[in-house]
Amino acid sequence: MNILAPSILSADFNCLGEDIRKVEEAGVKWLHIDVMDGSFVPSISYGMPVIASIRKHTELFFDVHLMVEEPGRYIQDFKNCGADQLIVHAEACKHLDSTLRLIKKAGMRAGVALNPATPLSVLEYVLPLVDMVLIMTVNPGFGGQTYIETCTEKVRKLKKMVTEAGLDVDIQVDGGINRQTLPTVLDAGANIIVAGSSVFGGNIQENARELMTMMGESGIK
Ligand code: DX5
Ligand code: ZN
């Protein structure tokens, strides 16, 4: 199933609740929430208090992307504030296997993210543990960057790897996805599409509906 996951990093934080209500009304089902620690990535975004606050006002699926060193330290905190899925970076975990198992044990879906330069081989022994793999299509840290073309081949290879292993693992892409790059990643095998500036820049509802239509996601609640 194809799913659009708008990234609130590009929302207007002065009216965050209103922006979330707009994507929800457009029929979006997932919200992508980028948490940055200023160490794994240069920037700092937002964390538990913001997530707990928006959780009170929406039923959307919370897809939480942790750009954080040793995210295993915060699994229960993110569960408590309402995360439905936690994505950790392979590059940020000393004990990736254990971190993924702890996320599952806490009752959330587990995702593993790979930076553009990280090879797919790091997934070899953890693929059966995860619900989703996030292929970063920009270097993480900021919204509004340009899609890195070499990532298309990486998505294609991952799709083959998942199919050959006979696993049911979603493939997410994140960074530089817009009307131009969306067809490319869908064709390569991605099915969960993060979009920040291409949803929240301009008319939010029109943008969300148009991207969902291109993906064959109905938007019907
Ligand atoms: C970047 C974040 C992305 C970001 C994407 O590090 O992980 O989720 O919000 O923004 P766009 O879609 O504008 O590239
Ligand atoms: Zn993200």
Side-chain angles (χ1 to χ4, degrees):
M1 195 176 46
N2 289 347
I3 294 172
L4 178 68
S7 163
I8 57 166
L9 192 61
S10 297
D12 181 349
F13 296 117
N14 192 41
C15 49
L16 181 57
E18 176 68 9
D19 278 7
I20 293 172
R21 196 181 53 75
K22 285 182 185 164
V23 289
E24 203 166 5
E25 276 181 15
V28 158
K29 298 180 188 65
W30 281 35
L31 211 56
H32 184 80
I33 303 172
D34 291 296
V35 179
M36 303 179 185
D37 69 351
S39 174
F40 181 69
V41 288
S43 192
I44 299 175
S45 57
Y46 39 72
M48 294 88 168
V50 170
I51 300 173
S53 166
I54 60 176
R55 181 74 288 174
K56 291 187 198 128
H57 302 284
T58 177
E59 295 293 311
L60 289 173
F61 182 92
F62 278 8
D63 177 39
V64 179
H65 178 190
L66 298 178
M67 284 160 274
V68 170
E69 292 289 356
E70 292 302 341
R73 295 175 290 164
Y74 303 112
I75 291 170
Q76 199 53 49
D77 296 283
F78 281 105
K79 171 71 184 170
N80 294 346
C81 67
D84 295 298
Q85 169 165 275
L86 284 190
I87 308 165
V88 296
H89 271 261
E91 307 87 355
C93 300
K94 274 199 197 91
H95 301 286
L96 180 59
D97 176 284
S98 147
T99 303
L100 293 168
R101 287 177 198 275
L102 288 169
I103 294 170
K104 300 291 291 181
K105 205 171 162 199
M108 291 174 282
R109 272 175 52 111
V112 59
L114 305 185
N115 285 338
T118 304
L120 293 174
S121 55
V122 301
L123 297 172
E124 187 173 355
Y125 297 104
V126 294
L127 206 52
L129 296 176
V130 301
D131 297 288
M132 193 189 81
V133 175
L134 164 55
I135 298 294
M136 286 304 302
T137 43
V138 297
N139 287 292
F142 303 97
Q145 300 182 74
T146 305
Y147 179 84
I148 297 173
E149 294 291 340
T150 49
C151 298
T152 309
E153 182 57 19
K154 194 171 175 187
V155 172
R156 214 176 280 286
K157 277 190 184 154
L158 173 61
K159 176 71 183 173
K160 190 163 176 267
M161 209 169 143
V162 167
T163 307
E164 282 176 3
L167 294 167
D168 183 19
V169 173
D170 289 310
I171 300 179
Q172 184 176 56
V173 285
D174 182 7
I177 308 297
N178 51 38
R179 288 161 184 76
Q180 284 69 46
T181 51
L182 178 60
T184 308
V185 291
L186 290 175
D187 181 67
N191 72 307
I192 303 191
I193 309 298
V194 177
S197 40
S198 62
V199 168
F200 290 102
N203 186 318
I204 296 173
Q205 294 196 333
E206 262 178 38
N207 291 339
R209 287 203 185 98
E210 196 180 329
L211 292 173
M212 280 193 293
T213 303
M214 289 176 72
M215 293 166 56
E217 191 185 354
S218 73
I220 296 163
K221 286 185 204 170

